[in-house]
Amino acid sequence: MEEHDLTSPLLSPRSSDQPQTVLTILDDEDSESSHQSTSNQQSSLQGSHNHSRVNNERVTVSSTNPYDFLGSGEYSIPAPTTVDPFRNGTPFISGVYEVIKIILCLPIALARLVLFGACLAVGYVATRIALEGWKDKQNPMPRWRSRIMWVTRLCARFILFSFGYQWIRRKGKPAPREIAPIVVSNHVSYIEPIFYFYELFPTIVASESHDSMPFVGTIIRAMQVIYVNRFSPASRKNAVHEIKRRAACDRFPRVLLFPEGTTTNGKVLMSFQLGAFIPGHPVQPIIVRYPHVHFDQSWGLISLAKLMFRMFTQFHNFMEVEYLPVIMPPDNKIQSPVHFAERTGQAMASALNVVQTSHSYGDLMLLMKAAELQQERPWSYMVEMARIESLFHISSLEAVDFLDKFLSMNPDTSGCVKLHDFLRVLRLKACKLSEEIFGFLDVEKNGSITFKQFLFGVAHVLKQPLFMQACELAFAECDGRGDDYCMKEELADILRQAIPDLNEDEVNGLFDLFDTDNDGRISRDDFLTCLRKNPLLIALFSPRLLQKDFPKPGDRMLEEIV
């Protein structure tokens, strides 16, 4: 049975694997060239080229696939999405009405701030009393301690009042804990955890970083939080085990999860992580809406202080909570996590009247990295990471590393990179093979590549079944002396088979790229690490590998060769 964890994507991509119709219009000369390229796939490194002029600069865009020897065929890139699930609709104060309202509410905001501080202090003291002397935190909190926590829960309701939520509209009712031990909700603001703490007092799954937050960390510990490090497989596996254990025990409170993994603007529903659905218990979905006209209460990329100030200076903030019918797990246990999550997501999206996307927390990481490096259109660097992870098994951290590499190529204001900057960062000499590598990424053949094209291209190469074997065999060829190290001269001999006129400076540049620990020689770990971070460079070794009768995809003889 397939292993799942908290960060497994909800579904395989829906669009990228669908049959697509591609219409290509060629003139007579290009048509003849394309036909010759198709009939000579066995000699892929000798293919023909298409030429185009971009921005008055002569750019050679190759139609030859330099990764044919790995079994790489053509690949498609989904059309860019115009949806930004993290964009706040009112990031700035605008309009005469909003300015006047804020001015009038400033005295009210001061009173609300005092109420917020007092409630937080009282709740903190009550929580410390409830936790005092309690050592056995692996078992449910004793009943008398839970009664003390009612003081903190009432404080949480007054905190919501201080933020402008004088009343909260509810629809439906929470199912009894014995019927639905797990509840899931969409996540728009920091308000929902406060509301659920007051309303349900559940056990929650939260990032380990929350434990160190002043005051709030103590209150979260009283909820017997399940901590998880989303980037640690061991931590995710342990969290899944804890969810199973606590959901199966009626003495624990119900478990609350936000399967999107982060906050959104509430206008879409992102891909679900599977932690809530692996245990196979009934799940009650809950949806939260924040109807508004002048002030969008979603967190987005707005700072916490600014969002709190805007909430304090509103007459009233609207919030609606709807408890949806309980969803039962499917009978087929093998398919249960994915299909269970799918049905739950569809029910929530339908009730919210929003679309589901393949965005994930990884897209937020990409967005924040692009914004941090002051890109003019940071939202254009989101790629719907759940689809990438499902297709290519590329983690969010790896995608951020590839974004760092792409941004070092100095993309223009539209987020596109030209050939010369691409070659500069990869230390490649302008030549036929280099143009073929760039042309492999430039699927639109317009002389530039976007980050999405770059990421899909490198991920496609990494996914090829012969990629790692090719890396191993390439290092074996470079290790001419058999001492598990590759020296500069040995690397130069191999590289010049692909690029014959490499000069000494160009060899030095590539050698420095492969020598990741800067010790003057390339170890096996250096070599494989470099190719994992720069998988496109495996094409430099294709002439040597083809001379060695490199196996076709699926050829088991490669194991013996390596």
Side-chain angles (χ1 to χ4, degrees):
M1 175 172 153
E2 183 181 0
E3 283 289 324
H4 298 282
D5 58 45
L6 282 174
T7 58
S8 300
L10 168 59
L11 289 174
S12 299
R14 296 179 294 275
S15 60
S16 61
D17 287 340
Q18 295 300 318
Q20 299 186 22
T21 301
V22 180
L23 177 63
T24 304
I25 300 177
L26 301 172
D27 57 28
D28 291 341
E29 181 180 350
D30 286 343
S31 178
E32 180 181 355
S33 174
S34 176
H35 174 74
Q36 291 174 355
S37 175
T38 303
S39 63
N40 292 285
Q41 290 181 0
Q42 297 302 321
S43 55
S44 60
L45 296 178
Q46 309 297 325
S48 59
H49 300 82
N50 294 325
H51 300 279
S52 64
R53 184 177 299 273
V54 181
N55 296 332
N56 298 322
E57 178 185 0
R58 186 70 175 178
V59 179
T60 302
V61 181
S62 173
S63 61
T64 302
N65 181 356
Y67 304 100
D68 229 11
F69 73 103
L70 295 177
S72 166
E74 295 183 356
Y75 65 98
S76 60
I77 299 179
T81 177
T82 58
V83 175
D84 182 352
F86 309 110
R87 183 179 297 178
N88 184 287
T90 58
F92 307 106
I93 299 172
S94 61
V96 176
Y97 171 77
E98 190 67 12
V99 172
I100 294 175
K101 178 173 61 176
I102 289 176
I103 294 174
L104 292 176
C105 286
L106 283 176
I108 300 176
L110 183 60
R112 287 175 170 175
L113 181 61
V114 172
L115 175 62
F116 169 77
C119 291
L120 189 61
V122 172
Y124 174 75
V125 171
T127 303
R128 289 298 299 268
I129 294 173
L131 294 178
E132 186 65 29
W134 184 33
K135 303 298 183 182
D136 186 17
K137 296 182 181 180
Q138 293 300 311
N139 290 315
M141 177 179 280
R143 189 177 299 274
W144 68 271
R145 295 182 185 272
S146 297
R147 292 195 180 101
I148 296 177
M149 286 302 300
W150 261 108
V151 176
T152 309
R153 295 173 67 178
L154 290 174
C155 288
R157 183 61 187 94
F158 279 106
I159 287 175
L160 292 175
F161 185 90
S162 71
F163 282 125
Y165 299 94
Q166 289 88 6
W167 67 87
I168 297 172
R169 181 183 176 187
R170 296 172 176 82
K171 183 178 180 180
K173 294 182 178 180
R177 197 262 182 227
E178 56 270 19
I179 294 178
I182 298 176
V183 294
V184 296
S185 171
N186 61 318
H187 200 5
V188 180
S189 179
Y190 60 86
I191 294 299
E192 300 105 47
I194 301 175
F195 171 80
Y196 290 131
F197 175 74
Y198 162 72
E199 182 92 342
L200 302 175
F201 191 51
T203 291
I204 63 172
V205 178
S207 171
E208 294 175 343
S209 60
H210 288 80
D211 187 67
S212 59
M213 297 174 63
F215 298 103
V216 177
T218 300
I219 296 174
I220 288 178
R221 284 195 293 274
M223 300 172 69
Q224 293 188 271
V225 63
I226 300 172
Y227 289 117
V228 60
N229 179 350
R230 71 175 79 227
F231 303 118
S232 168
S235 177
R236 297 196 303 265
K237 185 175 181 179
N238 180 68
V240 169
H241 172 75
E242 277 299 299
I243 293 171
K244 290 180 179 179
R245 186 176 74 89
R246 300 190 189 190
C249 179
D250 290 337
R251 294 185 298 117
F252 275 105
R254 70 192 80 207
V255 181
L256 166 68
L257 295 101
F258 298 103
E260 292 172 288
T262 187
T263 56
T264 70
N265 57 17
K267 297 177 181 178
V268 301
L269 198 67
M270 297 200 310
S271 62
F272 279 7
Q273 299 167 5
L274 299 180
F277 310 99
I278 294 173
H281 292 282
V283 168
Q284 182 173 31
I286 309 173
I287 57 173
V288 179
R289 307 181 188 90
Y290 294 91
H292 66 276
V293 176
H294 302 284
F295 168 50
D296 183 356
Q297 300 148 64
S298 65
W299 201 337
L301 295 181
I302 306 298
S303 69
L304 179 60
K306 182 177 181 179
L307 192 60
M308 291 177 64
F309 173 78
R310 294 292 301 278
M311 287 184 175
F312 283 146
T313 53
Q314 303 293 315
F315 293 124
H316 175 73
N317 289 311
F318 292 90
M319 179 180 182
E320 298 176 354
V321 179
E322 182 177 354
Y323 295 90
L324 301 181
V326 175
I327 298 181
M328 305 302 291
D331 295 332
N332 189 336
K333 296 299 182 181
I334 295 178
Q335 297 179 342
S336 62
V338 171
H339 290 274
F340 195 8
E342 178 185 18
R343 290 193 294 121
T344 304
Q346 290 172 347
M348 294 174 67
S350 177
L352 286 166
N353 194 28
V354 299
V355 298
Q356 293 177 271
T357 73
S358 296
H359 291 90
S360 72
Y361 180 75
D363 288 285
L364 180 59
M365 294 172 63
L366 295 172
L367 174 64
M368 294 179 67
K369 170 62 73 172
E372 176 187 338
L373 297 180
Q374 300 180 344
Q375 296 300 300
E376 292 191 14
R377 300 171 62 246
W379 57 88
S380 67
Y381 292 92
M382 291 187 293
V383 294
E384 296 188 272
M385 269 305 300
R387 174 182 293 159
I388 298 290
E389 292 175 359
S390 178
L391 269 178
F392 303 113
H393 307 292
I394 296 292
S395 70
S396 298
L397 291 177
E398 288 176 308
V400 172
D401 287 340
F402 285 127
L403 177 59
D404 276 328
K405 177 75 68 175
F406 182 83
L407 293 179
S408 69
M409 300 175 185
N410 295 327
D412 57 27
T413 55
S414 65
C416 293
V417 164
K418 300 295 178 59
L419 175 62
H420 63 279
D421 287 319
F422 173 82
L423 300 182
R424 172 181 54 81
V425 171
L426 290 185
R427 318 282 179 91
L428 292 175
K429 180 183 181 70
C431 65
K432 179 181 177 181
L433 178 59
S434 299
E435 291 166 0
E436 290 173 354
I437 294 173
F438 185 81
F440 175 77
L441 303 177
D442 182 16
V443 294
E444 296 180 0
K445 306 305 176 190
N446 60 7
S448 63
I449 58 173
T450 64
F451 173 64
K452 192 168 189 176
Q453 291 172 333
F454 178 74
L455 182 62
F456 265 77
V458 297
H460 180 75
V461 173
L462 279 171
K463 183 187 177 183
Q464 297 310 307
L466 292 180
F467 175 76
M468 285 308 300
Q469 292 91 328
C471 294
E472 294 277 3
L473 189 54
F475 178 73
E477 291 299 312
C478 293
D479 180 20
R481 298 181 301 176
D483 58 356
D484 291 330
Y485 287 100
C486 171
M487 306 307 292
K488 185 183 300 183
E489 297 76 13
E490 295 171 322
L491 181 66
D493 290 341
I494 301 294
L495 294 178
R496 287 194 172 107
Q497 295 186 31
I499 309 176
D501 55 347
L502 273 181
N503 61 39
E504 192 66 22
D505 290 339
E506 291 160 348
V507 170
N508 289 337
L510 284 167
F511 182 82
D512 292 341
L513 189 64
F514 277 90
D515 184 16
T516 56
D517 58 5
N518 299 315
D519 64 351
R521 57 184 183 175
I522 302 173
S523 67
R524 178 179 176 277
D525 288 341
D526 290 340
F527 194 86
L528 298 181
T529 298
C530 178
L531 287 177
R532 176 72 189 182
K533 292 182 177 180
N534 305 277
L536 299 174
L537 296 182
I538 189 61
L540 298 177
F541 303 93
S542 59
R544 183 59 171 260
L545 296 179
L546 290 173
Q547 288 179 7
K548 295 294 182 179
D549 296 326
F550 188 75
K552 296 179 180 180
D555 192 341
R556 295 295 180 182
M557 289 179 63
L558 178 64
E559 296 177 5
E560 298 179 7
I561 296 175
V562 175

